[in-house]
C-alpha cells in the first residue's frame, strides 16, 4: 500500500448523527485501504460526536468547529487533507465498497482527467436504492451538460485531484446554495471531467 496514492475523504456534517455511522462504515469498508477520512462537524448539537467516537480507526480525523456552513466545513477539511486525490463524501450518503479502488484506478490511468464521478443510486429511509438518471461518461458530454446548466458529475460521488483546488480555489463560502455547481463550473473551464459507468454511491 506504500506505493498507492493516498485518498483524502472529506465529510462535512451538521446534525447527521442518525446517518453518519453508515456513511463512515462506507469508507471503512472500502476495498482500497490507503485513505484518510476528515470529518468536520459544523457545530452539531445532536449525537454526531458520540457516533464518530465509536470508530477506533487512526485514519479518521474528527474536527469540530462553530457553525459556519457546509462550504466552510469542506474548506476546513481541505486544509487538513494530505491526499493526492480528494473524495467527496457526505454524512448521509454511503460509498459502495469498490468506489475508491475504481476511481483511483481510473485517475491513475487517465492523467488528462481531473475529476471522476460515477453512477448513483437514490434511496430514502423507506425506499430501496434505484438509479434515477445516468450521468455522461465522456469529458465532451460532461462539458455539454454543464453548458446546459446541468450537473455533469454528481458531486457527492466525485473524486478530484488535490492539485485542482490549488489552482482553481476551494468552495465559495458565500454561495449558500449550489456550491457544488459553482465549483464544478469553475473546474470545467480548465479541466476534463468524467464519470464511471459503474454505480459508486447510495445517495
Amino acid at each position: 500500500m506504500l506505493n498507492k496514492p493516498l485518498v483524502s475523504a472529506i465529510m462535512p456534517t451538521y446534525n447527521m448523527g442518525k446517518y453518519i455511522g453508515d456513511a463512515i462504515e462506507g469508507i471503512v469498508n472500502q476495498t482500497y485501504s490507503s485513505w484518510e477520512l476528515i470529518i468536520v462537524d459544523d457545530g452539531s448539537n445532536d449525537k454526531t460526536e458520540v457516533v464518530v467516537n465509536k470508530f477506533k480507526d487512526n485514519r479518521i480525523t474528527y474536527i469540530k468547529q462553530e457553525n459556519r456552513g457546509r462550504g466552510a466545513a469542506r474548506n476546513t477539511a481541505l486544509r487538513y487533507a494530505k491526499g493526492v486525490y480528494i473524495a467527496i463524501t457526505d454524512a448521509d450518503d454511503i460509498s459502495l465498497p469498490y468506489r475508491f479502488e475504481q476511481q483511483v484506478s481510473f485517475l491513475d490511468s487517465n492523467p488528462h482527467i481531473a475529476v471522476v464521478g460515477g453512477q448513483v443510486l437514490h434511496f430514502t429511509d423507506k425506499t430501496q436504492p434505484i438509479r434515477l438518471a445516468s450521468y455522461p461518461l465522456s469529458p465532451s458530454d460532461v462539458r455539454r451538460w454543464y453548458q446546459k446548466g446541468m450537473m455533469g458529475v454528481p458531486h457527492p460521488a466525485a473524486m478530484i485531484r488535490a492539485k485542482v483546488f490549488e489552482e482553481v480555489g476551494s468552495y465559495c463560502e458565500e454561495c449558500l446554495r449550489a456550491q457544488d455547481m459553482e465549483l464544478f463550473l469553475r473546474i470545467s473551464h480548465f479541466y476534463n471531467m468524467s464519470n464511471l459507468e459503474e454505480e459508486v454511491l447510495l445517495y
Side-chain angles (χ1 to χ4, degrees), residues 13-19 41-48 91:
T13 184
Y14 176 69
N15 288 344
M16 285 289 174
K18 180 179 178 181
Y19 303 109
D41 187 339
D42 195 42
S44 295
N45 53 27
D46 66 352
K47 61 178 182 177
T48 292

Side-chain angles (χ1 to χ4, degrees), residues 163-200:
K163 67 177 184 180
V164 170
F165 290 100
E166 297 172 7
E167 295 170 356
V168 306
S170 53
Y171 289 87
C172 177
E173 298 181 17
E174 293 76 25
C175 184
L176 299 182
R177 301 185 66 182
Q179 292 171 340
D180 49 359
M181 174 66 92
E182 192 277 334
L183 173 67
F184 278 4
L185 283 174
R186 255 188 289 147
I187 294 174
S188 69
H189 287 302
F190 303 99
Y191 295 101
N192 289 319
M193 307 166 72
S194 186
N195 287 295
L196 302 177
E197 57 183 331
E198 294 86 3
E199 293 156 350
V200 299

Side-chain angles (χ1 to χ4, degrees), residues 82-201:
K82 299 184 287 289
V84 176
Y85 301 131
I86 306 296
I88 307 303
T89 56
D90 285 346
D92 56 351
D93 298 334
I94 302 172
S95 292
L96 295 175
Y98 289 94
R99 176 190 169 185
F100 289 1
E101 184 176 338
Q102 291 171 327
Q103 291 182 321
V104 168
S105 177
F106 180 89
L107 289 173
D108 282 352
S109 301
N110 294 274
H112 63 292
I113 303 292
V115 180
V116 63
Q119 307 308 317
V120 171
L121 297 175
H122 291 249
F123 76 104
T124 69
D125 290 339
K126 299 179 181 179
T127 63
Q128 294 298 310
I130 186 173
R131 187 190 288 201
L132 297 180
S134 292
Y135 287 91
L137 306 183
S138 72
S140 58
D141 286 340
V142 169
R143 186 168 286 109
R144 275 193 285 273
W145 275 44
Y146 282 111
Q147 290 171 346
K148 295 177 181 178
M150 300 163 59
M151 189 62 115
V153 172
H155 178 262
M159 184 174 284
I160 306 168
R161 296 184 189 275
K163 67 177 184 180
V164 170
F165 290 100
E166 297 172 7
E167 295 170 356
V168 306
S170 53
Y171 289 87
C172 177
E173 298 181 17
E174 293 76 25
C175 184
L176 299 182
R177 301 185 66 182
Q179 292 171 340
D180 49 359
M181 174 66 92
E182 192 277 334
L183 173 67
F184 278 4
L185 283 174
R186 255 188 289 147
I187 294 174
S188 69
H189 287 302
F190 303 99
Y191 295 101
N192 289 319
M193 307 166 72
S194 186
N195 287 295
L196 302 177
E197 57 183 331
E198 294 86 3
E199 293 156 350
V200 299
L201 187 79

